[in-house]
Each structure stands twice: as structure tokens, then as C-alpha cells.
């Protein structure tokens, strides 16, 4: 069974609730919600104006059940509570009352607030909103998890031969400092283990293997490696490694024969967003891999981001991953 099928089956057993804050704006979201309901994967919570949601569905000849849960971001039931929350949370920004009210009425922030208050297990957005907007709402509500310093992302890369690798960070942090890169690696390791069932074998990538080149960018990677090893001494983590040395046993034998990671890695940590984003797209387009992501990590609760070019299947997969991420245990 392909990994995504396994993820969907595992998610369905959780009987969780998933929030969709763009339900009134994007028919792809409503189509995904309909399939989620029909397959019993989860209980969706739609955020938006009820009339707009049903009107959007009707225009596209989509039938939504009458008992589906819809929450208006303007609902007076929680508005005072939300305004108090954001007033306190954003007190350092010196925002006006109107600005706070606008934030409290925003569907993305409402989704994060509901998630924080345990009214759902995961949220999925980004088919309309930018990644920056999704992350901003997540940080203002659920915030980062204990032990992580930042929000980053990872991609699951499922190869045609069923091997699965994780690539990080392909979507959020452009040029991480060494301590940030260490946290990205650790968070990616947790995510990989949760979603694949495999123990993470983490390679910090570079254009150098074990000092074959000297450069400040190589030094950043070696410092990140040292930091990650100090935080997770029992994990299999190594670097700096070139990609072929990290992936292929025959190359590892020549370049890093004593490494416990070289030739066996399943989690690849790229030194910057340029390298990571290019690599995942090359792997997807030339090697025929199925890319699932960006999977936001480092948050205290799963707030999943979508590509604005996402498909209905992408939205369903993000919801399933989000449900599994709600069970993530950072130890």
C-alpha cells in the first residue's frame, strides 16, 4: 500500500475534526470536504458565511449535507473572547481596537483560535491565502511547540519504487542560521518518524563531504550538525555530506566509510531554501516522486499549509497529515 493510502487509513481511525477556514472562497476546499465526509476520514468544520458557502457549492453543482458544521468568524458567541485573546496576545504590537477586531474576525485567525482551544485537531489553509498569512495566523494563535525555535516545513517524497524520503526546509526559512538548521533537522526527524513509521536517519547536506571543501557555508552546516547531535545524542545524524554520499552506499563507502548515516539517509536537511526547493521539484518532476507538503512543523498544534495550485487530493492529504501531526510527541 502506498504511503498516502496508509496515512489516509490511519487518519480515518482517529475520528478527528479538521478546520477549513477558506470554505467560502474555494470550491476545491468544498469538494475535498465532501469527499472527506463521504469517506469518513474526519469531521470537517467550515469557517465562513453559511450563505456564501452553500451558494458556492450550488454554483458548482455540489451537494453539501445540511448538518455540516459551519462557524461564522463574525459569530457574536465568541467574538468578545477572541478580542480579549488577541488584545493580550498582540499587546506588544500596540494595535488599535479596530485592528484587533479585524484580526478576531479573520477566518485564518479564527481557525487558529479554535485549534488552540481544542475545538478541533487540525486546520488546513493556503489554497487562497499565502504561506506567510497562514504562518502568521498560526504563530499568533497556537505558537511554536516547546523545544523548537521556529516554524519550518518538510516534504515527504514518495519514489516510484515506494521508498520515502523527507526533504527540509523546502518552503519557509530562506537562509537558516546554524541553530535554526539544527531545529529544522530535529523537527523533520520527528515528522518523518510519525508519518512513515521509520526511524529518522538524518543527513546534513552540503557541497562538501567531511571537509572535502572549506567555506563558510560548510562551516554553518557543521555547526548545525554539532548542535543537533548535542540535542539528540541518541539519533543517527551526520554531516556534512554531499547528496550522493548520503544516499548511495557505494559512494558512501568511498567518501564516508565510517558514517552510520552515509548511504542510508532518509531525512535530507538542505542548507538553505534555494537548494531544498530546487531539489524537491527536480525529484518530483524528473524522478517521478510524489511530493506531499509543505508540511508545517515546529507549531504546537497542526496548522497545515497548502500550495495555491493545490488539487482536491492535496487538500485531503493535508487534512490527513494534520490529524496525524496532532498525535506528534516531541520527546
Amino acid at each position: 500500500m502506498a504511503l498516502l493510502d496508509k496515512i489516509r487509513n490511519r487518519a480515518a481511525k482517529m475520528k478527528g475534526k479538521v478546520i477549513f477556514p477558506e470554505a467560502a472562497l474555494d470550491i476545491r476546499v468544498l469538494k475535498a470536504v465532501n469527499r472527506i465526509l463521504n469517506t469518513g476520514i474526519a469531521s470537517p468544520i467550515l469557517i465562513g458565511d453559511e450563505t456564501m458557502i452553500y451558494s458556492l457549492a450550488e454554483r458548482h453543482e455540489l451537494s453539501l449535507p445540511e448538518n455540516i458544521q459551519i462557524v461564522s468568524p463574525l459569530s457574536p458567541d465568541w467574538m468578545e473572547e477572541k478580542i480579549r485573546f488577541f488584545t493580550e496576545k498582540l499587546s506588544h504590537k500596540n494595535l488599535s481596537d479596530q485592528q484587533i477586531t479585524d484580526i478576531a474576525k479573520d477566518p485564518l485567525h479564527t481557525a487558529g483560535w479554535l485549534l488552540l482551544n481544542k475545538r478541533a485537531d487540525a486546520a488546513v489553509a493556503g489554497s487562497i491565502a499565502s504561506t506567510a498569512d497562514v504562518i502568521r495566523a498560526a504563530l499568533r494563535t497556537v505558537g511554536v511547540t516547546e523545544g523548537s525555535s521556529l516554524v519550518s516545513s518538510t516534504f515527504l517524497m514518495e519514489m516510484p519504487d515506494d521508498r520515502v524520503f523527507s526533504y527540509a526546509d523546502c518552503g519557509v526559512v530562506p537562509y537558516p542560521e546554524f541553530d535554526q538548521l539544527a531545529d529544522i533537522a530535529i523537527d523533520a526527524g520527528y515528522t518523518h518518524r510519525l508519518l512513515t513509521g521509520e526511524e529518522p536517519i538524518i543527513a546534513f547536506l552540503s557541497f562538501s563531504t567531511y571537509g572535502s571543501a572549506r567555506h563558510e557555508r560548510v562551516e554553518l552546516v557543521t555547526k548545525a550538525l554539532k548542535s543537533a547531535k548535542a540535542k539528540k545524542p541518541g539519533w543517527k545524524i551526520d554531516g556534512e555530506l554531499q547528496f550522493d554520499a548520503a544516499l548511495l552506499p557505494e559512494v558512501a563507502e568511498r567518501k564516508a566509510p565510517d558514517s552510520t548515516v552515509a548511504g542510508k539517509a532518509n531525512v535530507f536537511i538542505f542548507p538553505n531554501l534555494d537548494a531544498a526547493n530546487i531539489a524537491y521539484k527536480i525529484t518530483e518532476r524528473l524522478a517521478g516522486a510524489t511530493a506531499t507538503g509543505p508540511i508545517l512543523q515546529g507549531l504546537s498544534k497542526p496548522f497545515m499549509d497548502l500550495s495555491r495550485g493545490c488539487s482536491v487530493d492535496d487538500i485531503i492529504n493535508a487534512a490527513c497529515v494534520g490529524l496525524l501531526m496532532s498525535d506528534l510527541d516531541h520527546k
Side-chain angles (χ1 to χ4, degrees):
M1 185 184 293
L3 177 64
L4 287 174
D5 291 330
K6 292 178 182 177
I7 286 173
R8 287 191 182 193
N9 287 340
R10 286 170 61 196
K13 291 176 183 177
M14 297 180 72
K15 306 295 182 184
K17 296 180 179 180
V18 182
I19 306 170
F20 296 91
E22 295 168 320
L25 304 173
D26 194 335
I27 190 59
R28 291 172 297 175
V29 173
L30 294 185
K31 287 179 177 179
V33 163
N34 222 28
R35 282 173 53 186
I36 287 170
L37 281 169
N38 291 338
T39 53
I41 289 174
S43 298
I45 299 173
L46 311 187
I47 296 182
D49 178 78
E50 184 172 334
T51 302
M52 288 179 63
I53 290 172
Y54 278 105
S55 175
L56 177 63
E58 187 178 343
R59 288 201 306 273
H60 292 270
E61 300 181 344
L62 183 70
S63 177
L64 289 177
E66 291 183 3
N67 62 346
I68 193 167
Q69 186 173 356
I70 298 176
V71 175
S72 170
L74 308 180
S75 171
D77 296 343
W78 297 327
M79 186 56 67
E80 285 188 17
E81 192 178 343
K82 282 196 293 180
I83 288 173
R84 281 197 303 271
F85 170 81
F86 287 113
T87 298
E88 183 177 342
K89 185 80 172 181
L90 303 176
S91 59
H92 61 288
K93 290 188 172 291
N94 297 316
L95 300 176
S96 68
D97 291 346
Q98 185 59 53
Q99 287 173 310
I100 291 291
T101 300
D102 290 343
I103 290 169
K105 291 178 177 179
D106 174 59
L108 290 176
H109 286 81
T110 299
W113 183 81
L114 291 170
L115 196 55
L116 179 68
N117 286 280
K118 300 181 180 179
R119 290 183 168 97
D121 302 289
V124 177
S127 66
I128 300 293
S130 68
T131 292
D133 287 338
V134 172
I135 292 176
R136 185 180 301 110
L139 286 174
R140 286 174 170 177
T141 52
V142 301
V144 296
T145 191
E146 186 178 350
S148 185
S149 63
L150 77 168
V151 177
S152 63
S153 71
T154 189
F155 271 83
L156 285 181
M157 307 299 297
E158 187 171 3
M159 307 302 292
D161 61 6
D162 293 333
R163 288 180 300 165
V164 180
F165 302 107
S166 289
Y167 285 13
D169 171 9
C170 304
V172 178
V173 187
Y175 293 98
E177 301 294 335
F178 78 89
D179 52 343
Q180 294 177 318
L181 196 60
D183 280 354
I184 289 169
I186 292 168
D187 286 342
Y190 279 122
T191 303
H192 185 87
R193 182 168 61 192
L194 176 74
L195 297 179
T196 69
E198 301 174 344
E199 286 303 309
I201 305 173
I202 301 171
F204 280 85
L205 300 179
S206 176
F207 58 83
S208 168
T209 296
Y210 279 15
S212 64
R214 294 182 180 275
H215 191 274
E216 61 184 17
R217 300 302 301 176
V218 177
E219 290 176 11
L220 183 143
V221 174
T222 56
K223 287 173 72 176
L225 170 70
K226 185 177 179 180
S227 176
K229 279 189 166 184
K231 292 179 179 181
K232 295 294 174 186
W235 284 23
K236 291 183 179 179
I237 308 173
D238 203 8
E240 84 282 10
L241 295 168
Q242 290 163 290
F243 186 82
D244 56 353
L247 179 69
L248 302 172
E250 61 271 25
V251 177
E253 241 179 74
R254 295 194 304 270
K255 291 187 174 183
D258 298 325
S259 174
T260 59
V261 169
K264 307 179 188 73
N266 53 24
V267 179
F268 298 98
I269 306 303
F270 294 83
N272 57 55
L273 191 58
D274 289 330
N277 193 274
I278 292 167
Y280 106 74
K281 290 182 183 293
I282 288 174
T283 307
E284 182 181 32
R285 301 301 181 181
L286 291 185
T290 300
T292 300
I295 300 168
L296 292 185
Q297 55 188 21
L299 292 166
S300 68
K301 294 183 182 295
F303 204 131
M304 309 305 295
D305 183 36
L306 298 163
S307 163
R308 278 175 279 185
C310 64
S311 67
V312 171
D313 276 325
D314 291 335
I315 298 170
I316 296 169
N317 291 337
C320 293
V321 168
L323 286 173
L324 297 187
M325 293 283 281
S326 69
D327 203 30
L328 183 59
D329 190 8
H330 289 82
K331 289 185 178 177

Coordinates of all heavy atoms in Angstrom, one line a residue, residues 3-4 7 153-168 170 188-189 191-193 195-203 205 243-249 261-270 279-280 283-284 287-293 295 297:
L3 N 2.2 5.0 0.7 CA 2.3 5.7 1.9 C 1.0 6.6 2.1 O 0.5 6.6 3.2 CB 3.5 6.6 2.0 CG 3.7 7.4 3.3 CD1 3.8 6.6 4.5 CD2 4.8 8.4 3.2
L4 N 0.6 7.3 1.1 CA -0.5 8.2 1.3 C -1.8 7.5 1.6 O -2.6 8.0 2.3 CB -0.7 9.1 0.0 CG 0.4 10.2 -0.2 CD1 0.2 10.9 -1.5 CD2 0.3 11.2 0.9
I7 N -1.5 6.7 5.2 CA -1.8 7.9 6.0 C -3.3 8.2 6.1 O -3.8 8.5 7.2 CB -1.0 9.1 5.4 CG1 0.5 9.0 5.7 CG2 -1.6 10.5 5.9 CD1 1.4 10.1 5.1
S153 N 9.3 23.8 7.3 CA 8.5 22.8 6.6 C 9.3 21.6 6.1 O 10.5 21.7 6.1 CB 7.8 23.5 5.4 OG 8.8 23.8 4.4
T154 N 8.6 20.6 5.9 CA 9.2 19.4 5.3 C 8.3 18.9 4.2 O 7.1 19.1 4.2 CB 9.5 18.3 6.3 OG1 10.3 17.3 5.8 CG2 8.2 17.7 6.9
F155 N 8.9 18.2 3.2 CA 8.2 17.5 2.2 C 8.4 16.0 2.3 O 9.6 15.5 2.5 CB 8.6 17.9 0.8 CG 7.9 19.1 0.3 CD1 8.2 20.4 0.6 CD2 6.8 18.9 -0.6 CE1 7.5 21.5 0.1 CE2 6.1 20.0 -1.1 CZ 6.5 21.3 -0.8
L156 N 7.4 15.2 2.2 CA 7.5 13.7 2.0 C 7.7 13.5 0.5 O 6.8 13.9 -0.3 CB 6.3 13.0 2.5 CG 6.1 12.8 4.0 CD1 4.9 12.0 4.3 CD2 7.3 12.2 4.7
M157 N 8.7 12.8 0.1 CA 9.0 12.4 -1.3 C 8.8 10.9 -1.4 O 9.7 10.2 -1.0 CB 10.4 12.9 -1.7 CG 10.6 14.4 -1.4 SD 9.5 15.5 -2.2 CE 9.9 15.2 -3.9
E158 N 7.7 10.5 -2.0 CA 7.5 9.1 -2.2 C 7.9 8.7 -3.6 O 7.4 9.2 -4.6 CB 6.0 8.7 -2.0 CG 5.7 7.2 -2.0 CD 4.3 6.9 -1.6 OE1 3.5 7.8 -1.3 OE2 4.0 5.7 -1.5
M159 N 8.9 7.8 -3.7 CA 9.5 7.5 -5.0 C 8.7 6.4 -5.7 O 7.9 5.7 -5.1 CB 11.0 7.0 -4.8 CG 11.8 7.9 -4.0 SD 12.0 9.6 -4.7 CE 12.9 9.2 -6.2
P160 N 8.9 6.3 -7.0 CA 8.1 5.2 -7.7 C 8.4 3.8 -7.2 O 7.5 2.9 -7.4 CB 8.6 5.4 -9.2 CG 9.0 6.8 -9.3 CD 9.6 7.2 -8.0
D161 N 9.5 3.6 -6.6 CA 9.8 2.3 -6.0 C 9.4 2.1 -4.6 O 9.7 1.2 -3.9 CB 11.3 1.9 -6.1 CG 12.2 2.9 -5.4 OD1 11.7 3.8 -4.7 OD2 13.4 2.8 -5.5
D162 N 8.6 3.1 -4.1 CA 7.9 3.1 -2.8 C 8.9 3.5 -1.6 O 8.5 3.6 -0.5 CB 7.3 1.8 -2.4 CG 6.1 1.4 -3.3 OD1 5.5 2.4 -3.8 OD2 5.8 0.2 -3.5
R163 N 10.1 3.9 -1.9 CA 11.0 4.5 -0.9 C 10.4 5.9 -0.6 O 9.9 6.5 -1.5 CB 12.4 4.6 -1.4 CG 13.2 3.3 -1.5 CD 14.6 3.5 -1.9 NE 14.6 4.1 -3.3 CZ 15.7 4.7 -3.8 NH1 16.8 4.8 -3.1 NH2 15.6 5.2 -5.0
V164 N 10.6 6.3 0.7 CA 10.1 7.6 1.1 C 11.2 8.3 1.8 O 11.8 7.8 2.7 CB 8.9 7.4 2.1 CG1 8.4 8.8 2.5 CG2 7.7 6.7 1.4
F165 N 11.4 9.6 1.3 CA 12.4 10.4 1.9 C 11.7 11.7 2.4 O 10.6 12.1 2.0 CB 13.5 10.8 0.9 CG 14.2 9.6 0.3 CD1 13.9 9.2 -1.0 CD2 15.1 8.9 1.1 CE1 14.6 8.1 -1.5 CE2 15.7 7.8 0.5 CZ 15.5 7.4 -0.8
S166 N 12.4 12.4 3.4 CA 11.9 13.7 3.8 C 13.0 14.7 3.4 O 14.2 14.5 3.6 CB 11.7 13.7 5.3 OG 10.6 13.0 5.7
Y167 N 12.5 15.9 2.8 CA 13.3 17.0 2.5 C 12.9 18.2 3.3 O 11.8 18.5 3.4 CB 13.1 17.4 1.0 CG 13.7 16.4 -0.1 CD1 14.2 15.2 0.2 CD2 13.8 16.9 -1.4 CE1 14.7 14.4 -0.7 CE2 14.3 16.0 -2.4 CZ 14.8 14.8 -2.1 OH 15.3 14.0 -3.0
A168 N 13.9 18.9 3.9 CA 13.6 20.0 4.7 C 14.8 21.0 4.6 O 15.9 20.6 4.5 CB 13.4 19.7 6.2
C170 N 11.9 23.1 2.6 CA 11.7 23.4 1.2 C 10.8 24.6 1.0 O 10.5 25.0 -0.1 CB 11.1 22.2 0.5 SG 12.1 20.7 0.6
A188 N 12.1 17.7 11.5 CA 11.9 16.9 10.3 C 12.0 15.4 10.7 O 11.3 14.5 10.2 CB 12.9 17.2 9.2
G189 N 12.9 15.1 11.6 CA 13.1 13.7 12.1 C 11.8 13.2 12.8 O 11.4 12.1 12.5
T191 N 8.8 14.4 12.4 CA 7.7 14.3 11.3 C 7.9 13.1 10.5 O 6.9 12.3 10.2 CB 7.7 15.6 10.4 OG1 7.6 16.7 11.2 CG2 6.6 15.5 9.4
H192 N 9.1 12.8 10.1 CA 9.4 11.6 9.3 C 9.0 10.3 10.0 O 8.3 9.4 9.5 CB 10.8 11.5 8.9 CG 11.2 10.4 8.0 ND1 11.1 10.5 6.6 CD2 11.6 9.1 8.2 CE1 11.4 9.4 6.0 NE2 11.7 8.5 7.0
R193 N 9.4 10.2 11.3 CA 9.0 9.0 12.1 C 7.5 8.8 12.2 O 7.0 7.7 12.1 CB 9.7 9.1 13.4 CG 9.5 7.9 14.3 CD 10.4 7.8 15.5 NE 10.2 9.0 16.4 CZ 11.0 9.3 17.4 NH1 12.1 8.6 17.6 NH2 10.8 10.4 18.1
L195 N 5.1 10.0 10.3 CA 4.3 9.8 9.1 C 4.7 8.5 8.4 O 3.9 7.9 7.6 CB 4.4 11.0 8.2 CG 3.8 12.3 8.7 CD1 4.0 13.4 7.7 CD2 2.4 12.2 9.1
T196 N 5.9 8.0 8.5 CA 6.4 6.9 7.8 C 6.5 5.6 8.6 O 6.6 4.5 8.1 CB 7.7 7.1 7.1 OG1 8.8 7.2 8.1 CG2 7.7 8.4 6.3
G197 N 6.7 5.8 10.0 CA 7.0 4.7 10.8 C 8.4 4.3 10.9 O 8.8 3.4 11.6
E198 N 9.3 5.0 10.1 CA 10.7 4.7 10.1 C 11.5 5.6 11.1 O 11.1 6.7 11.3 CB 11.3 5.0 8.7 CG 10.7 4.2 7.5 CD 11.2 4.6 6.2 OE1 11.8 5.7 6.1 OE2 11.0 3.9 5.2
E199 N 12.5 5.0 11.6 CA 13.4 5.8 12.4 C 14.2 6.8 11.5 O 14.7 6.4 10.5 CB 14.4 5.0 13.2 CG 13.7 4.3 14.4 CD 13.1 5.3 15.4 OE1 13.7 6.2 15.8 OE2 11.9 5.0 15.7
P200 N 14.3 8.1 11.9 CA 15.0 9.0 11.0 C 16.5 8.8 11.0 O 17.1 8.6 12.0 CB 14.6 10.4 11.7 CG 14.3 10.1 13.1 CD 13.7 8.7 13.1
I201 N 17.0 8.8 9.8 CA 18.5 8.8 9.6 C 18.8 10.1 8.9 O 18.5 10.2 7.7 CB 18.9 7.6 8.8 CG1 18.4 6.3 9.5 CG2 20.4 7.5 8.6 CD1 18.6 5.0 8.7
I202 N 19.4 11.0 9.6 CA 19.4 12.4 9.1 C 20.7 12.8 8.6 O 21.8 12.7 9.3 CB 19.0 13.4 10.3 CG1 17.6 13.0 10.8 CG2 19.0 14.8 9.8 CD1 17.2 13.8 12.1
A203 N 20.7 13.3 7.3 CA 22.0 13.8 6.7 C 21.9 15.3 6.5 O 21.0 15.8 5.9 CB 22.1 13.1 5.3
L205 N 23.2 18.2 4.5 CA 23.8 18.2 3.1 C 24.6 19.4 2.9 O 24.3 20.5 3.5 CB 22.7 18.1 2.1 CG 21.8 16.9 2.1 CD1 20.7 17.0 1.1 CD2 22.6 15.6 2.0
F243 N 25.0 14.9 -1.4 CA 23.8 14.1 -1.6 C 24.1 12.7 -2.0 O 23.5 11.8 -1.4 CB 22.9 14.8 -2.6 CG 21.5 14.1 -2.7 CD1 20.5 14.4 -1.8 CD2 21.3 13.2 -3.6 CE1 19.3 13.7 -1.8 CE2 20.1 12.5 -3.7 CZ 19.1 12.8 -2.8
D244 N 25.0 12.5 -2.9 CA 25.3 11.1 -3.3 C 25.9 10.3 -2.2 O 25.6 9.1 -2.1 CB 26.2 11.1 -4.6 CG 27.5 11.8 -4.4 OD1 27.7 12.5 -3.4 OD2 28.3 11.8 -5.4
A245 N 26.7 10.9 -1.4 CA 27.3 10.2 -0.3 C 26.2 9.8 0.8 O 26.3 8.8 1.5 CB 28.4 11.0 0.4
A246 N 25.3 10.7 0.9 CA 24.2 10.5 1.9 C 23.2 9.4 1.4 O 22.7 8.6 2.2 CB 23.4 11.8 2.1
L247 N 23.0 9.3 0.1 CA 22.0 8.4 -0.5 C 22.6 7.0 -0.9 O 22.0 6.0 -0.6 CB 21.4 9.0 -1.7 CG 20.3 8.2 -2.4 CD1 19.1 8.0 -1.5 CD2 20.0 8.9 -3.7
L248 N 23.7 7.0 -1.5 CA 24.2 5.8 -2.2 C 25.3 5.0 -1.4 O 26.3 5.6 -1.1 CB 24.7 6.1 -3.6 CG 23.8 6.8 -4.5 CD1 24.5 7.3 -5.8 CD2 22.6 5.9 -4.8
P249 N 25.1 3.8 -1.0 CA 26.1 3.0 -0.2 C 27.4 3.0 -0.9 O 28.5 3.0 -0.2 CB 25.4 1.6 -0.1 CG 24.0 1.9 -0.2 CD 23.8 3.0 -1.2
V261 N 25.3 7.1 8.9 CA 24.3 7.7 8.1 C 24.5 7.6 6.6 O 23.6 7.4 5.8 CB 24.1 9.2 8.5 CG1 23.1 10.0 7.6 CG2 23.5 9.3 10.0
A262 N 25.7 7.9 6.2 CA 26.0 7.9 4.7 C 25.6 6.6 4.1 O 25.8 5.5 4.6 CB 27.5 8.1 4.6
G263 N 24.9 6.8 2.9 CA 24.4 5.7 2.2 C 23.1 5.1 2.7 O 22.5 4.2 2.1
K264 N 22.6 5.6 3.8 CA 21.4 5.1 4.4 C 20.4 6.2 4.8 O 19.3 5.9 5.3 CB 21.7 4.4 5.7 CG 22.8 3.3 5.6 CD 23.0 2.7 7.0 CE 24.2 1.8 7.0 NZ 25.5 2.5 7.0
A265 N 20.7 7.4 4.5 CA 19.8 8.6 5.0 C 18.4 8.5 4.4 O 18.2 8.1 3.2 CB 20.5 9.9 4.6
N266 N 17.4 8.9 5.2 CA 16.1 9.0 4.7 C 15.5 10.4 5.0 O 14.4 10.8 4.5 CB 15.1 7.9 5.3 CG 15.2 7.9 6.8 OD1 15.5 8.9 7.5 ND2 14.9 6.7 7.4
V267 N 16.3 11.2 5.8 CA 15.9 12.6 6.0 C 17.0 13.5 5.6 O 18.1 13.4 6.1 CB 15.6 12.9 7.5 CG1 15.2 14.4 7.7 CG2 14.4 12.0 8.0
F268 N 16.8 14.4 4.6 CA 17.8 15.2 4.0 C 17.6 16.6 4.4 O 16.5 17.2 4.1 CB 17.8 15.1 2.5 CG 18.1 13.7 2.0 CD1 17.1 12.8 1.7 CD2 19.4 13.2 1.9 CE1 17.4 11.5 1.2 CE2 19.7 11.9 1.5 CZ 18.7 11.1 1.2
I269 N 18.6 17.2 5.1 CA 18.5 18.6 5.5 C 19.4 19.5 4.6 O 20.6 19.4 4.6 CB 18.9 18.7 7.0 CG1 18.2 17.7 7.9 CG2 18.8 20.2 7.5 CD1 16.7 17.9 7.8
F270 N 18.7 20.4 3.9 CA 19.4 21.2 2.9 C 19.8 22.5 3.6 O 19.2 23.0 4.6 CB 18.5 21.5 1.8 CG 18.1 20.3 0.9 CD1 17.1 19.5 1.3 CD2 18.8 20.1 -0.2 CE1 16.8 18.4 0.6 CE2 18.5 18.9 -1.0 CZ 17.5 18.1 -0.6
A279 N 15.6 21.1 -5.2 CA 15.8 19.7 -5.1 C 14.5 18.9 -5.1 O 14.3 17.9 -5.8 CB 16.7 19.3 -3.9
Y280 N 13.5 19.4 -4.4 CA 12.3 18.7 -4.3 C 11.5 18.7 -5.6 O 10.9 17.8 -6.0 CB 11.4 19.2 -3.1 CG 10.2 20.0 -3.4 CD1 9.0 19.4 -3.9 CD2 10.2 21.4 -3.1 CE1 7.9 20.2 -4.2 CE2 9.1 22.1 -3.4 CZ 7.9 21.6 -3.9 OH 6.8 22.3 -4.2
T283 N 13.3 16.3 -8.0 CA 12.9 14.9 -7.6 C 11.5 14.6 -8.1 O 11.2 13.5 -8.5 CB 13.1 14.7 -6.1 OG1 14.4 15.2 -5.7 CG2 12.9 13.3 -5.7
E284 N 10.6 15.6 -7.9 CA 9.2 15.4 -8.3 C 9.1 15.3 -9.8 O 8.4 14.3 -10.3 CB 8.4 16.5 -7.8 CG 6.9 16.4 -8.1 CD 6.1 17.6 -7.6 OE1 6.7 18.7 -7.5 OE2 5.0 17.5 -7.2
A287 N 12.3 12.6 -11.4 CA 12.4 11.2 -10.8 C 11.0 10.6 -10.6 O 10.9 9.5 -10.2 CB 13.1 11.2 -9.5
G288 N 10.0 11.4 -10.9 CA 8.6 10.9 -10.7 C 8.1 10.7 -9.3 O 7.2 9.9 -9.1
A289 N 8.7 11.4 -8.4 CA 8.3 11.3 -7.0 C 7.0 12.0 -6.7 O 6.6 12.9 -7.4 CB 9.3 11.9 -6.0
T290 N 6.2 11.5 -5.8 CA 5.0 12.1 -5.3 C 5.4 13.0 -4.1 O 5.9 12.5 -3.1 CB 3.9 11.1 -4.9 OG1 3.6 10.3 -6.0 CG2 2.7 11.8 -4.4
A291 N 5.2 14.3 -4.2 CA 5.6 15.2 -3.1 C 4.4 15.6 -2.3 O 3.4 16.0 -2.8 CB 6.2 16.5 -3.7
T292 N 4.5 15.4 -1.0 CA 3.4 15.8 -0.1 C 4.0 16.9 0.8 O 4.9 16.7 1.6 CB 2.9 14.6 0.8 OG1 2.4 13.6 -0.1 CG2 1.8 15.0 1.7
G293 N 3.4 18.1 0.7 CA 3.8 19.2 1.5 C 3.5 20.5 0.8 O 2.8 20.5 -0.2
I295 N 4.7 20.5 4.7 CA 4.1 20.2 6.0 C 4.8 21.1 7.0 O 6.0 21.0 7.3 CB 4.4 18.7 6.3 CG1 3.8 17.8 5.2 CG2 3.9 18.3 7.7 CD1 4.3 16.3 5.3
Q297 N 6.0 22.4 10.4 CA 6.4 21.8 11.6 C 7.0 22.8 12.6 O 7.4 23.9 12.2 CB 7.4 20.7 11.3 CG 8.6 21.2 10.5 CD 9.5 20.1 10.0 OE1 9.2 18.9 9.9 NE2 10.8 20.4 9.7

